[in-house]
Amino acid sequence: MVNDDGTARVERPGTAKAERPGTTTGKAKGRPRGRPRSFDRETALERALLAFWEHGYEATSVSDLTRVMDIGTPSLYAAFGDKRSLFEEVVQVYGTRYGSFTDLALAEEPTARAAVERMLREAATAYTEPGHPHGCLVVHAAANCSTPEVEQSLRDRRNANIAAFESRIRADVAAGVLPPDTDVAALARHTGAMIQGMSQQSRDGASREELEAVAEIAMSIWPRTGTHTG
């Protein structure tokens, strides 16, 4: 074998020979390129959740997220996709971990009135407890949001809650638990307004006791009929 200048090439002992077709090297085939993730995904996701909850969707930048999650931008995109995809996952986790009291009250209580009363009472506690931002992420994250898809997604979630309230109220009217002349749509929307308002009040500094008092007044307007109670 010769060098590029035409002189004879001398192979030193121990020098690796050029690979020939069909030969193998010491490198394992199929090994993933790059280093594996060196962070805990669930911990990083929880940190992102708290950041979005505290500052909202629009005001939380990718650089804010990588800082609080303690990961690099490539790792964020590899593990969670873009900012919007990460937020969608955050909202799912929030609904299970922090916001499930609404669905549980509607599913477990025998009447709409009992469900809403429980829901407002538990909201007063959940929205003011220490250890995480106050209020509701789904309500607060929509503030000043200029991303239409995110804004619509959050709006759809809030409207779905109102639809669920309306369904339970309508069922109670049909069963005679509530008067037949009950304005079902207005009562459902009043409930939604209370939940959203309590969220904002908690962020403005209202205490659990103050929100419980608001919830009590809200329930005082609920109609009753016959001997049925909520």
Side-chain angles (χ1 to χ4, degrees), residues 106 109-117 165 168-169 172 178 222:
L106 290 172
E109 294 300 325
T111 66
R113 187 183 194 285
V116 171
E117 185 172 20
F165 305 154
R168 285 301 308 274
I169 295 167
D172 279 5
L178 290 172
W222 270 66

Side-chain angles (χ1 to χ4, degrees), residues 52-53 56-58 87 136-145 150 154:
F52 281 126
W53 194 352
Y57 178 81
E58 208 67 39
F87 180 71
C136 172
L137 180 148
V138 175
V139 173
H140 179 61
N144 300 317
C145 182
V150 172
L154 294 173

Side-chain angles (χ1 to χ4, degrees), residues 85-166:
S85 297
L86 171 59
F87 180 71
E88 289 173 354
E89 186 170 352
V90 157
V91 172
Q92 293 288 342
V93 172
Y94 172 83
T96 301
R97 191 172 299 167
Y98 299 101
S100 61
F101 62 88
T102 295
D103 291 339
L104 289 175
L106 290 172
E108 295 174 358
E109 294 300 325
T111 66
R113 187 183 194 285
V116 171
E117 185 172 20
R118 168 179 161 180
M119 182 179 60
L120 294 181
R121 185 177 66 251
E122 293 185 357
T125 299
Y127 291 169
T128 58
E129 64 186 358
H132 59 68
H134 286 180
C136 172
L137 180 148
V138 175
V139 173
H140 179 61
N144 300 317
C145 182
S146 60
T147 304
E149 297 84 0
V150 172
E151 185 180 23
Q152 184 62 50
S153 175
L154 294 173
R155 183 184 300 115
D156 288 345
R157 286 180 173 274
R158 295 191 299 272
N159 285 336
N161 281 339
I162 293 174
F165 305 154
E166 184 171 343

Side-chain angles (χ1 to χ4, degrees), residues 8-28:
R9 179 180 297 174
V10 178
E11 292 189 2
R12 296 180 177 83
T15 301
K17 294 182 180 180
E19 294 181 29
R20 292 189 297 273
T23 62
T24 59
T25 67
K27 294 182 180 180

